[in-house]
């Protein structure tokens, strides 16, 4: 007998509640009961509350006339229904997200690559940019653009002029609007045709290089084909394009094409803010490709442009794309901050709908359905992407 | 001092290997290099004739790798001149590219491109640099893959191969550019012992084909078997140089003796 | 080709070691630095010039606006009304009390100051890896400090006059919201992460549902839900404090993000650790608490701090249910007729940006510090 055995008290008795299977079932039953009970209780409360306030539940309100008007990309008026208004808000969300994504990607790429530059000054500027914008709230960036930059622009009478018909003021950016006449479809068709030809040429050029070894400058030749073909058809059909000039009235500018301060604020602020995150993603993606890869490519005699295109980028993109996609999703989610400046995105239109109707549950459900649908879509796409990469790697 | 054992059983008759007395492959004259304030290469003078097989030995941090990396411009030198195949290395990027086309390099960590198959690794540079048709480049690549004895792996990815196989692919990849000089930067240092031999075998065969080779390696058996000159470097300079038997049996410099006593037992 | 291998002239020995020389002047010192970092090639020089143009274009107007042309003193808008080209720091100065304490009554503001000190006293030693008594420290941070602060700030007991939460605001409220969010998101995040990794389908799917829904939607919609829907969900007459609703929304949202960070840590703990713990006869909770969690959390401290940074920035959104944290307090003060000038918004927002930046940058530097520490720990 040793001291260590002193604490032993014979074989432990078996209790039914120590059986892992029983335990697991019991825990799950309790959890389900709690969840169901909670949901039931909350639903019951909600029904009672809605009844007391005289609010009918359901999505019937979507067909009712809204009675207010908002500025959106889709034409709306006070006769539009709630459903149509929400659709207009959704379109705005998509448009502003798309534009912000373009700006953030371009800016993020430039800043991210600059962050790796061998030039100290460029590197420092990029670092300052990233460290500044990453560490302040996006809402602050939005408010700064809206209240401090755009609001500080001159009013419409003293607008800054860029040429005779293009002006910038605190009411927005005004410029002439192209008006497409009859037969413009031919030009558009020619443009598409040019793109198709250029694409085919690119593939042919690549195939020819593989066959004969001779490289083919398909990009420049393709570009020339698109430009020449589109231009020729445009002229041949009689240049069916008019221009609608903005007309200055006493207090406002009518006609032409306007970028509203709210819209400009949203896509500029979100683009600039998110660019700082994308820059870091780009940087870490490029850093993830080891230095040995570049060296090996250079040692084989590949010039730096080819090294980037054939060796570094294909590897960096695999690291970059998944976080980039989630950053794009973040931009879309952050457009909901539009409610702070009154840009009519899905959330702020929803807010407008929710107040007069009291249909808060339905509106919140619509929001969630949109955003959840989008993130499911993105994650499905990313799973597909990762699976495909994994397949070619192993 | 003793002679190291031969590295491989591959027969190599060194007397059959020809060294040119007039054609200079690499000429380094008074080369100096600094990393910041650190003087890494001091007064390097080395003339390599066509057909020579040179092994460079020395303790780590002695500047061996830095020296051969200067030969294809992966590192730039600050003083002195380096002439490779009659092309002097300057700041001119075009010249550096020209030199790199003629000089193949094999790295310690293989540095194969993980996103490309073995065959694509081998054809990348011939297609894009030599402007070779794809079919032809693939034929050449298969030829070299057969020479390094792994043609059956051509359509796999580097991650699926063992270290020794990867290093052999790396050698084949460099050979596909049909270089006139081959540089080896510790090609077996990252390998498990049982894989070292298969790589050295390939290198011995390469020497038998008459390739000009400059190898940084700790494989003294390889040096004895293949090299016509062994160079010992320490503290950024060439300390001693001799033909292999003399180098191993009668080292002259104290540092060489110390190094050899540590590395051979 | 001649076949003469000249054995005789191969031998070379260095009789005298080469001297270590300083690098040539053009590659060292300030000139060498400038050559390597600014003017390495023609393209590099062009980049440097572009960089100088950008730096000048940003810095010069910024310095002029913030310093040269700024109005530093004054008691009301008169001081800044005429100044359209510089910052109005007088406005920030005059409203500083409000920016920090919101509408918390003047004579009671010492209580907020005590709160700040108590908070620092808990967080600073916790953040220093070598500071002792981590267990006590955690007890203080998660239990003692929140309870004490609750009494202190709300009052209504022990002779402290009551201060209703509607009067809370400014930086103080930002810190309250983010602190509660951080303190609650950790335990709930751990629970959700464990739930997601559970073998029990019911537990797994409930956790996945909560995590994915919260991560899939913008915080604003969660806050709307907390602000507008919560009163609908509970029996008539049950009325939650507005701040409490905001805290609920923020914590729920942060917990979902925290859960994913912790899950990363749980996955990174080697399988052998689980097996070792089971071999010792530890039960699930003992194993989790004593072996797995301490390791998992240590691995993901940088991720946790990054989540905290996101949370801290996100507190700026609670204004949506009329809670006046720093940013909305600043924004509200723009419409104060005593101070409304064309330059006040920029000045106020610049102030808010500096405050947010200091906190977030501090946290991100801390996370980098921990990351470096962890890296060196693994390399050994």
């Amino acid at each position: 007998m040793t001291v260590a055995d002193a604490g032993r008290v014979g074989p432990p008795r078996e209790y039914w509640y120590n059986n892992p299977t029983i335990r697991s079932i019991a825990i799950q039953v309790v959890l389900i009961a709690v969840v169901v009970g909670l949901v039931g209780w909350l639903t019951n409360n909600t029904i009672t509350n809605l009844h007391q306030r005289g609010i009918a539940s359901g999505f019937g309100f979507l067909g009712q006339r809204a009675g207010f008007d908002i500025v959106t990309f889709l034409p709306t008026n006070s006769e539009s229904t709630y459903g149509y208004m929400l659709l207009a808000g959704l379109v705005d969300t998509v448009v502003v997200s798309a534009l912000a994504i373009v700006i953030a990607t371009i800016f993020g790429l430039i800043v991210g690559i600059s962050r790796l530059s061998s030039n100290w000054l460029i590197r420092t500027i990029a670092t300052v940019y990233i460290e500044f914008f990453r560490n302040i709230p996006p809402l602050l960036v939005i408010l700064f653009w809206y209240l401090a930059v755009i609001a500080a622009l001159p009013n419409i009478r003293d607008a800054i002029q860029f040429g005779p018909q293009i002006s910038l003021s605190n009411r927005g950016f005004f410029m002439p609007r192209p008006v497409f006449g009859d037969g413009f479809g031919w030009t558009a068709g020619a443009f598409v045709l040019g793109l198709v030809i250029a694409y085919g040429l690119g593939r042919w050029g690549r195939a020819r290089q593989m066959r004969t070894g001779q490289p083919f400058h398909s990009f420049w030749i393709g570009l020339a084909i698109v430009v020449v073909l589109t231009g020729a058809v445009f002229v041949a059909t009689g240049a069916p394009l008019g221009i609608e000039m903005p007309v200055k009235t006493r207090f406002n500018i009518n006609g032409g094409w306007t970028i509203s301060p709210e819209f400009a604020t949203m896509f500029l602020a979100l683009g600039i803010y998110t660019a700082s995150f994308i820059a870091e993603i780009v940087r870490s993606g490029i850093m993830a490709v080891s230095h040995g890869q570049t060296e090996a490519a250079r040692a084989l005699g590949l010039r730096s442009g080819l090294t980037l295109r054939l060796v570094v980028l294909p590897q960096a993109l695999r690291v970059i794309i998944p976080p980039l996609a989630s950053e794009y999703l973040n931009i879309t989610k952050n457009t909901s901050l539009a409610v702070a400046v009154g840009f009519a995105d899905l959330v702020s239109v929803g807010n407008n709908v929710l107040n007069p109707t009291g249909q808060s549950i339905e509106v919140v459900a619509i929001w969630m359905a949109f955003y959840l649908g989008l993130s499911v879509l993105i994650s499905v796409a990313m799973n597909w992407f990762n699976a495909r990469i994994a397949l070619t790697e192993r | 001092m003793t002679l190291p054992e031969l590295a491989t059983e591959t027969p190599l008759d060194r007397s059959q290997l020809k060294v040119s007395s007039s054609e200079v492959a690499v000429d380094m004259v008074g080369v100096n290099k600094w990393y910041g304030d650190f003087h890494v290469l001091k007064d390097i003078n080395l003339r390599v004739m066509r057909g020579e097989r040179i092994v460079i030995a020395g303790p780590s941090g002695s500047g061996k790798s830095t020296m051969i990396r200067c030969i294809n411009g992966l590192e730039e030198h600050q003083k002195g001149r380096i002439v490779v195949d009659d092309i002097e290395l300057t700041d001119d990027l075009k010249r550096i590219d020209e030199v790199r086309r003629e000089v193949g390099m094999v790295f310690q960590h293989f540095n194969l491109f993980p996103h490309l198959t073995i065959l694509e690794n081998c054809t990348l540079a011939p297609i894009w640099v030599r402007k070779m048709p794809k079919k032809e480049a693939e034929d050449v690549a298969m030829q070299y893959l057969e020479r390094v004895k792994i043609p059956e792996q051509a359509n796999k990815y580097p991650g699926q191969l063992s270290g020794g196989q990867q290093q052999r692919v790396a050698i084949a990849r460099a050979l596909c550019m049909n270089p006139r000089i081959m540089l080896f930067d510790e090609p077996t240092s990252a390998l498990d012992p049982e894989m070292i031999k298969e790589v050295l075998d390939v290198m011995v065969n390469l020497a038998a084909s008459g390739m000009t080779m400059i190898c940084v390696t700790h494989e003294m058996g390889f040096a004895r078997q293949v090299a016509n000159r062994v160079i010992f470097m320490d503290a950024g300079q060439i300390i001693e140089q001799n033909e292999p038997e003399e180098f191993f049996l009668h080292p002259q410099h104290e540092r060489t003796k110390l190094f050899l006593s540590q590395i051979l037992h | 080709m001649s076949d003469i291998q000249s054995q005789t002239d191969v031998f070379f020995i260095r009789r005298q070691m080469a001297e270590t020389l300083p690098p040539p002047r053009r590659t060292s010192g300030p000139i060498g630095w400038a050559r390597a970092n600014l003017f390495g090639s023609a393209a590099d020089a062009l980049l440097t010039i572009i960089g100088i143009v950008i730096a000048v274009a940003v810095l010069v107007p910024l310095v002029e606006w913030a310093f040269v042309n700024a109005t530093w003193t004054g008691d009301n808008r008169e001081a800044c009304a005429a100044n359209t080209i510089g910052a109005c720091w007088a406005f920030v100065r005059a409203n500083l009390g409000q920016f920090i304490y919101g509408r918390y009554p003047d004579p009671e503001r010492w209580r907020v100051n005590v709160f700040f000190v108590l908070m620092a006293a808990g967080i600073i030693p916790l953040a220093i890896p070598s500071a002792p008594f981590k267990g006590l420290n955690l007890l203080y941070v998660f239990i003692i400090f929140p309870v004490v602060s609750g009494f202190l700030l709300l009052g209504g007991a022990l002779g402290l006059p009551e201060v209703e939460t509607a009067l809370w605001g400014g930086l103080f409220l930002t810190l309250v919201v983010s602190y509660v969010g951080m303190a609650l998101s950790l335990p709930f995040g751990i629970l959700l992460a464990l739930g997601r990794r559970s073998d029990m389908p019911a537990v797994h799917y409930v956790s996945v549902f909560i995590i994915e829904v919260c991560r899939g939607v913008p915080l604003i919609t969660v806050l709307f839900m907390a602000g507008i829907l919560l009163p609908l969900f509970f029996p008539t007459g049950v009325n939650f404090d507005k701040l409490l609703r905001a805290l609920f929304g923020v914590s729920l949202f942060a917990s979902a993000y925290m859960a994913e960070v912790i899950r990363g840590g749980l996955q990174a703990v080697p399988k052998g650790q689980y097996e070792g713990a089971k071999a010792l006869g530890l039960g699930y909770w003992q194993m989790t608490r004593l072996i797995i969690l301490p390791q998992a959390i240590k691995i993901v401290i940088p991720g946790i701090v990054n989540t905290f940074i996101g949370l801290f920035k996100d507190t700026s959104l609670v204004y949506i249910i009329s809670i006046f944290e720093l940013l909305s307090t600043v924004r509200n003060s723009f419409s104060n007729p005593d101070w409304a000038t064309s330059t006040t918004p920029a000045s106020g927002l610049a102030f808010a940006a500096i405050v947010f930046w200091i906190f977030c940058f501090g946290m991100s530097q801390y996370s980098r510090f921990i990351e470096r520490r962890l890296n060196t720990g693994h390399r050994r």
Side-chain angles (χ1 to χ4, degrees), chain A residues 310-333:
Chain A
L310 300 173
V311 175
V312 178
L313 277 186
Q315 295 184 57
L317 279 180
R318 300 170 173 213
V319 183
I320 289 174
I321 284 178
L324 190 64
S326 89
E327 213 48 66
Y328 287 170
L329 194 60
N330 277 344
I331 286 190
T332 318
K333 288 198 234 164

Side-chain angles (χ1 to χ4, degrees), chain B:
Chain B
M1 288 286 168
T2 52
L3 278 174
E5 275 179 49
L6 293 181
T8 70
E9 289 93 52
T10 317
L12 182 73
D13 183 1
R14 296 201 307 163
S15 61
Q16 291 298 308
L17 296 177
K18 297 194 163 114
V19 172
S20 166
S21 60
S22 53
E23 268 187 88
V24 178
V26 178
D27 200 9
M28 302 177 89
V29 183
V31 173
N32 279 272
K33 175 174 175 59
W34 287 263
Y35 282 132
D37 282 339
F38 180 58
H39 200 173
V40 272
L41 292 182
K42 299 171 189 166
D43 188 32
I44 301 285
N45 292 288
L46 175 66
R47 171 169 293 178
V48 181
M49 309 306 286
R50 191 157 305 294
E52 279 202 279
R53 291 92 46 210
I54 293 181
V55 163
I56 302 166
S60 58
S62 58
K64 319 174 290 263
S65 292
T66 311
M67 187 178 92
I68 70 163
R69 287 159 60 86
C70 279
I71 295 174
N72 70 347
L74 286 181
E75 305 276 357
E76 54 175 354
H77 57 288
Q78 279 96 33
K79 247 171 92 177
R81 39 183 266 139
I82 301 177
V83 182
V84 181
D85 242 9
D86 296 331
I87 306 165
E88 179 171 359
L89 283 171
T90 58
D91 287 344
D92 187 349
L93 290 173
K94 263 229 156 71
R95 286 191 181 193
I96 296 179
D97 280 332
E98 256 174 80
V99 166
R100 285 173 177 159
R101 259 173 254 167
E102 306 308 325
V103 179
M105 183 156 192
V106 175
F107 298 86
Q108 180 178 358
H109 295 288
F110 334 135
N111 296 351
L112 293 180
F113 306 128
H115 62 299
L116 301 176
T117 63
I118 299 307
L119 190 61
E120 287 166 343
N121 262 281
C122 294
T123 56
L124 186 78
I127 289 176
W128 291 94
V129 181
R130 291 254 188 258
K131 313 253 182 280
M132 213 185 260
K134 190 178 177 192
K135 186 80 191 52
E136 196 183 318
E138 285 180 349
D139 290 344
V140 171
M142 284 314 293
Q143 211 175 304
Y144 283 112
L145 285 174
E146 260 156 51
R147 229 172 107 180
V148 301
K149 303 187 187 82
I150 32 177
E152 70 283 359
Q153 313 279 13
N155 291 315
K156 290 192 178 165
Y157 285 89
Q160 296 166 297
L161 268 55
S162 74
Q165 290 175 320
Q166 289 196 44
Q167 192 61 297
R168 285 187 279 152
V169 172
I171 295 173
R173 176 175 75 174
L175 291 176
C176 283
M177 283 294 282
N178 199 14
R180 310 184 64 174
I181 302 164
M182 283 288 286
L183 307 176
F184 292 84
D185 187 1
E186 308 208 17
T188 55
S189 299
L191 295 176
D192 292 334
E194 73 270 18
M195 292 171 183
I196 291 179
K197 222 177 91 5
E198 63 186 59
V199 172
L200 291 180
D201 251 339
V202 168
M203 290 170 67
V204 171
N205 280 330
L206 190 60
S209 74
M211 177 67 76
T212 311
M213 293 165 71
I214 306 177
C215 315
V216 170
T217 182
H218 293 296
E219 295 297 326
M220 292 301 118
F222 173 77
R224 182 189 155 200
Q225 190 177 2
V226 171
N228 66 313
R229 274 200 275 168
V230 181
I231 291 175
F232 174 69
M233 279 184 78
D234 194 10
Q237 47 205 310
I238 296 176
I239 300 288
E240 188 167 343
Q241 161 185 299
N242 214 334
E243 54 97 21
E245 307 248 327
E246 278 298 300
F247 178 84
F248 291 117
L249 291 175
H250 310 295
Q252 303 290 309
H253 201 284
E254 286 310 314
R255 292 189 186 219
T256 319
K257 287 179 191 164
L258 181 68
F259 174 74
L260 285 178
S261 69
Q262 283 166 346
I263 204 164
L264 303 170
H265 356 257

Side-chain angles (χ1 to χ4, degrees), chain C residues 77-283:
Chain C
R77 66 181 301 277
E78 300 297 315
C80 300
N83 184 357
T84 53
I85 51 166
C88 182
W89 299 129
F91 155 74
V92 173
R93 245 160 117 160
N95 289 282
L96 197 58
Q98 205 193 341
F99 292 168
I100 295 176
Y101 304 100
R103 292 193 294 133
Y104 211 87
D106 262 343
E108 305 298 330
R109 283 181 179 176
W110 63 270
R111 283 152 63 176
V112 177
N113 291 337
V114 172
F115 162 79
F116 286 150
V117 172
L118 290 179
M119 186 158 152
I123 290 178
I124 292 173
L126 193 65
I128 300 173
S130 59
F133 310 119
K134 282 281 186 278
L136 270 180
N137 206 331
L138 286 175
L139 184 72
Y140 174 84
V141 164
F142 282 101
I143 303 198
I144 300 174
F145 168 67
V147 172
V148 170
S149 309
F151 274 114
L152 180 71
L153 296 172
L154 279 170
L158 301 170
L160 292 172
E162 189 183 338
V163 181
E164 51 174 339
T165 56
L167 297 177
W168 298 17
L171 175 63
F172 149 59
L173 190 61
T174 295
L175 290 177
V176 169
V177 174
S178 39
Y179 190 89
V180 173
M182 292 175 194
L184 288 182
S185 69
L186 260 178
F188 284 111
I190 290 173
L191 277 183
L192 283 173
L194 290 174
R196 192 169 186 164
R197 281 171 64 82
S198 167
D199 303 330
M200 297 180 256
V203 177
H204 172 77
Y205 285 113
V206 168
S207 308
V208 169
F209 181 80
I210 296 175
I211 293 173
E212 291 305 327
V213 167
C214 288
R215 281 166 51 89
V217 300
L219 176 58
I220 281 199
T221 61
V222 175
L223 285 172
F224 263 118
M225 209 171 82
I228 301 167
L229 298 191
L230 222 51
L232 279 179
F233 288 158
F234 283 89
T236 326
V238 178
N239 228 338
F240 284 110
D241 186 88
K242 222 192 299 172
L243 179 60
L244 211 56
R245 280 184 255 159
L247 291 177
F248 172 79
V250 168
S251 309
L252 181 72
F253 189 74
S255 301
Y257 279 83
M258 193 60 81
E260 285 301 273
V261 172
I262 307 264
R263 186 165 74 111
L266 291 174
Q267 277 166 347
V269 174
K271 219 177 150 202
Q273 294 291 322
Y274 288 87
E275 285 162 358
K278 278 180 191 156
L280 284 173
L282 297 179

Side-chain angles (χ1 to χ4, degrees), chain A residues 40-320:
Chain A
W41 183 65
L42 295 177
T43 315
N44 190 29
N45 289 335
T46 311
I47 292 171
T48 319
N49 283 328
L50 289 178
H51 187 71
Q52 273 178 2
R53 297 182 197 187
I55 301 168
S57 55
F59 289 91
F61 72 99
L62 290 178
Q64 290 167 19
R65 179 178 162 273
F68 61 82
D69 196 8
I70 44 176
V71 182
T72 59
F73 285 98
L74 292 187
T76 57
N77 57 49
S78 54
E79 295 301 314
S80 309
T81 61
Y82 287 121
Y84 183 76
M85 287 295 186
L86 285 168
L87 179 71
L90 194 147
V91 170
D92 276 16
T93 293
V94 171
V95 170
V96 86
S97 310
L99 212 54
I101 282 172
V102 170
I103 289 181
T105 308
I106 295 172
F107 250 68
L109 260 175
I110 295 173
V111 176
I113 292 170
S114 307
R115 183 93 155 71
L116 293 169
S117 166
S118 62
N119 187 305
W120 176 85
L121 189 62
I122 295 292
R123 201 166 62 226
T124 308
I125 291 174
T127 310
V128 169
Y129 178 94
I130 292 170
E131 290 296 347
F132 180 72
F133 282 103
R134 273 171 75 86
N135 289 311
I136 53 174
L139 182 61
L140 207 153
V141 184
I142 291 172
L143 290 180
F144 198 87
W145 273 100
Y146 193 62
L147 298 175
V149 178
I150 293 181
L153 288 172
N155 62 28
I156 226 153
R157 231 182 295 166
D158 315 312
I160 307 164
Q161 297 284 342
F162 304 89
Q165 295 297 341
I166 303 171
S167 67
L168 180 66
S169 67
N170 58 8
R171 299 293 284 276
F173 189 67
F174 297 88
M175 63 186 122
R177 183 166 69 106
V179 183
F180 305 115
D182 294 337
F184 189 77
W186 288 106
T187 308
F191 178 71
V192 174
L193 185 69
L195 285 183
V196 171
I197 293 175
Y199 176 75
L201 202 68
R203 295 203 49 158
W204 175 82
R206 188 71 183 261
R208 193 190 72 144
Q209 185 189 349
M210 290 305 150
R211 211 168 52 242
T212 66
Q214 287 315 302
F216 184 72
H217 298 289
S218 41
F219 178 80
W220 296 109
I221 295 173
L223 187 71
I225 288 176
V226 172
V227 170
V228 170
L229 192 65
T230 314
V233 172
F234 180 68
V235 173
T237 51
L241 184 70
I243 289 174
E244 184 191 286
M245 293 294 181
V247 182
K248 227 177 214 183
T249 60
R250 188 131 170 240
F251 299 108
N252 208 339
I253 295 181
N254 292 327
W257 203 30
T258 312
I259 296 177
S260 74
E262 291 77 20
F263 179 65
T265 297
M266 286 313 294
F267 77 77
L268 283 175
L270 288 181
I272 285 175
Y273 172 78
T274 316
S276 67
F277 289 83
I278 292 182
E280 280 296 271
I281 291 171
V282 168
R283 181 178 81 107
S284 57
I286 294 177
M287 298 254 293
V289 182
S290 79
H291 192 54
Q293 292 289 309
T294 331
E295 281 195 339
R298 304 307 306 272
L300 285 168
L302 290 162
R303 274 173 293 113
S304 52
L306 280 177
T307 302
L308 195 67
R309 200 175 111 201
L310 300 173
V311 175
V312 178
L313 277 186
Q315 295 184 57
L317 279 180
R318 300 170 173 213
V319 183
I320 289 174

